[in-house]
Amino acid sequence: MKSIKINITLLFFLTSFLGFAQQRNNDETGYKKRVLETVEVDILSSYYTQDGDNAAVTGGRGTEELTDATGTIIISIPLNEDDVLTIDAGVSAYTSASSSNVDPFDGRRQADPFVASSGASRNDVWTNLTASYSHTSDDRNQIWSAMASVSSEWDYFSLGFGGGYTRLFNERNTELSVNGRVYLDSWTAIYPFELRPFTPGGNGLANGFFLDNTITGNTAYNPQFVPFENEKRNSYNLGFGFSQILHKKVQGSLSLDFVQQRGLLSTPFQRVYFADVADSYVANFQLADAVEQLPDTRFKIALGGRLNWFMSDRFVLRSFYRYYSDTWGIVSHTANVELPIKLSDHFTVYPSYRYYRQTAADYFRPFESALSTEEFYTSDYDLSKYVANQFGLGASYTDIFTKARLWKFGLKRIDLKFYKYDRDTTFSSSIVTIGFNFEVY
């Protein structure tokens, strides 16, 4: 159950490194400068923690405690003057009190939505491998790219592929780009433990679990549960970009992204409790009335804009805004501002602030608010209405001459960043990231 919060933060972190590593300028004398002079290696790692009281695994009530440690290595290899091959490999290991309660009845602790189980679903490892290739034209005004990726986790496997094209105009003061990606995912549907006896051939209340445990409350437990037939999910992404140098100190850009998803968009192990069904318990744990049911299609659109103002040799103001909407009824607004302050030729600090606000999905229902007569329902608070604030502080060391060297590796850059994220619910998280950029001789 890879957290989306981690992925968003790491995306911006990785982007800053790749932007630093890739160069595509050409000498005016006719000398054809290489797109990338030497092999470059980025080593990135992060440590993420979160907590809250609205776990979707336990129907919108329960611990959201999670920790995650991620390591990534990115190797950019110049194949010739024009072509670059990039290999991106990452491993993420997490421990989740929330997902541990997919099976809270492991017998080691009394089942409770606010207490972590010690079952197998408590820990997992996510792995990813991505290869990308880019070709730049002789005049350095056109770039073609292609990528392929594979990733896996305990309950899903994903294949991805895509490509892009970038065109520079107006003495490279104007840039247009288009890119597309396709992800083909396969779920291994894992259901809450108490619902498994109700799968075909599971014997229902005659199963050993219910014979060995006493149901309290509504003893005529009869969940509204049918296993998902389709365990595939396909995502199709199309993005457009426009960048313009507006002034010698001002640069702006616009982006437009479309995402179409089809297939299993519900998370099979996320419980839902109905308001019109009497509660059933084993120990302190309320038995699921159903698992979340969401439409099998979702269309997303996002429009973003950036404006960077180089105020002086020491100060740069970076601003970003994004509008997002989808067919599930979510509308969100994101505003971000970052102020890099150059303390010296080598050291820069990056204070930042991010504001986020979204409406609730049409199908979101808080704990015990959904009705059994509804077609779609979820108690995942990621789909609820909320406002979030994130404060960040980063520091970087840059040495383009790579004076610090270890064997054949010359250190070009170190980045260290910390982000603190809080919603107006009980959810909060923090992440520390560190990255090293090396040039290989």
Side-chain angles (χ1 to χ4, degrees):
M1 189 176 61
K2 185 66 179 173
S3 173
I4 193 170
K5 300 90 177 176
I6 306 172
N7 291 336
I8 292 174
T9 304
L10 287 179
L11 176 63
F12 286 108
F13 190 60
L14 289 170
T15 301
S16 67
F17 262 84
L18 292 177
F20 176 80
Q22 302 285 343
Q23 301 178 24
R24 54 174 185 264
N25 45 359
N26 207 8
D27 196 305
E28 296 295 334
T29 65
Y31 168 73
K32 188 176 179 181
K33 187 176 181 180
R34 297 170 68 93
V35 175
L36 186 65
E37 293 294 337
T38 64
V39 174
E40 293 196 355
V41 177
D42 295 310
I43 299 175
L44 315 172
S45 64
S46 69
Y47 182 75
Y48 172 88
T49 63
Q50 70 173 50
D51 205 353
D53 298 326
N54 300 115
V57 173
T58 45
R61 186 190 67 166
T63 177
E64 296 178 83
E65 183 182 358
L66 179 146
T67 61
D68 181 283
T70 300
T72 302
I73 183 169
I74 303 172
I75 304 175
S76 300
I77 305 168
L79 303 178
N80 50 47
E81 291 89 347
D82 305 322
D83 302 330
V84 176
L85 175 65
T86 302
I87 306 296
D88 181 339
V91 176
S92 175
Y94 75 79
T95 299
S96 170
S98 173
S99 67
S100 73
N101 280 323
V102 171
D103 175 12
F105 309 105
D106 58 16
R108 301 175 188 176
R109 299 179 183 178
Q110 186 174 19
D112 188 295
F114 291 96
V115 176
S117 167
S118 54
S121 57
R122 178 179 175 84
N123 306 286
D124 194 36
V125 175
W126 172 85
T127 58
N128 172 263
L129 178 65
T130 301
S132 59
Y133 164 83
S134 68
H135 170 78
T136 305
S137 62
D138 288 340
D139 61 7
R140 299 301 185 248
N141 288 329
Q142 299 182 77
I143 304 168
W144 295 266
S145 63
M147 61 77 63
S149 68
V150 58
S151 59
S152 66
E153 200 177 352
W154 70 305
D155 60 340
Y156 88 94
F157 178 80
S158 177
L159 291 174
F161 56 90
Y165 174 72
T166 300
R167 184 73 166 90
L168 285 79
F169 302 90
N170 189 24
E171 297 182 343
R172 300 180 198 152
N173 290 322
T174 305
E175 180 180 305
L176 293 173
S177 64
V178 59
N179 64 83
R181 295 193 177 189
V182 175
Y183 294 95
L184 307 176
D185 303 338
S186 298
W187 286 84
T188 299
I190 298 174
Y191 300 104
F193 186 82
E194 69 271 27
L195 295 182
R196 297 174 194 175
F198 295 90
T199 56
N203 298 325
L205 289 177
N207 182 274
F209 169 74
F210 291 105
L211 297 177
D212 296 338
N213 292 274
T214 301
I215 299 178
T216 59
N218 176 22
T219 57
Y221 178 56
N222 185 27
Q224 185 173 301
F225 171 66
V226 177
F228 293 105
E229 293 183 2
N230 179 17
E231 296 186 357
K232 305 291 186 181
R233 177 183 61 196
N234 298 339
S235 300
Y236 309 93
N237 304 356
L238 179 64
F240 300 91
F242 169 76
S243 177
Q244 177 66 51
I245 296 177
L246 304 171
H247 182 270
K248 64 180 181 179
K249 293 186 176 183
V250 181
Q251 181 183 33
S253 65
L254 296 172
S255 62
L256 179 62
D257 295 283
F258 302 96
V259 178
Q260 175 69 60
Q261 292 182 300
R262 296 183 181 276
L264 180 55
L265 305 184
S266 306
T267 303
F269 52 77
Q270 295 189 166
R271 295 174 175 88
V272 171
Y273 299 106
F274 295 134
D276 56 346
V277 174
D279 300 339
S280 300
Y281 295 86
V282 168
N284 291 333
F285 199 91
Q286 186 173 344
L287 304 180
D289 293 328
V291 297
E292 75 172 12
Q293 298 287 332
L294 292 168
D296 59 4
T297 62
R298 187 180 188 185
F299 182 74
K300 310 176 184 179
I301 182 171
L303 175 64
R306 295 182 183 274
L307 190 66
N308 297 337
W309 177 25
F310 298 86
M311 303 166 62
S312 68
D313 291 340
R314 294 194 177 274
F315 297 94
V316 179
L317 180 64
R318 297 174 180 168
S319 60
F320 170 76
Y321 169 78
R322 186 188 70 169
Y323 169 84
Y324 167 91
S325 177
D326 66 29
T327 53
W328 287 6
I330 292 180
V331 175
S332 72
H333 302 270
T334 305
N336 189 86
V337 61
E338 183 180 64
L339 183 65
I341 304 171
K342 190 173 182 180
L343 302 179
S344 69
D345 290 340
H346 297 294
F347 292 97
T348 304
V349 294
Y350 300 82
S352 65
Y353 170 71
R354 178 177 179 266
Y355 172 84
Y356 179 82
R357 184 182 78 223
Q358 78 170 37
T359 62
D362 296 337
Y363 319 110
F364 173 74
R365 302 291 183 267
F367 176 75
E368 284 201 324
S369 296
L371 299 176
S372 60
T373 55
E374 294 179 292
E375 181 181 8
F376 300 116
Y377 37 75
T378 177
S379 294
D380 185 347
Y381 272 70
D382 285 346
L383 301 178
S384 70
K385 177 182 178 181
Y386 67 86
V387 173
N389 295 277
Q390 177 178 281
F391 296 91
L393 181 63
S396 69
Y397 166 83
T398 303
D399 180 8
I400 60 174
F401 300 108
T402 62
K403 295 179 180 178
R405 299 189 181 186
L406 178 63
W407 191 45
K408 295 184 178 181
F409 294 83
L411 179 63
K412 294 183 70 175
R413 181 174 175 128
I414 302 175
D415 264 323
L416 177 64
K417 297 182 180 180
F418 172 79
Y419 298 96
K420 184 69 173 67
Y421 174 92
D422 290 288
R423 293 182 185 173
D424 59 356
T425 61
T426 62
F427 183 88
S428 63
S429 68
S430 60
I431 184 170
V432 177
T433 61
I434 187 169
F436 303 87
N437 176 254
F438 295 95
E439 187 174 88
V440 182
Y441 296 93

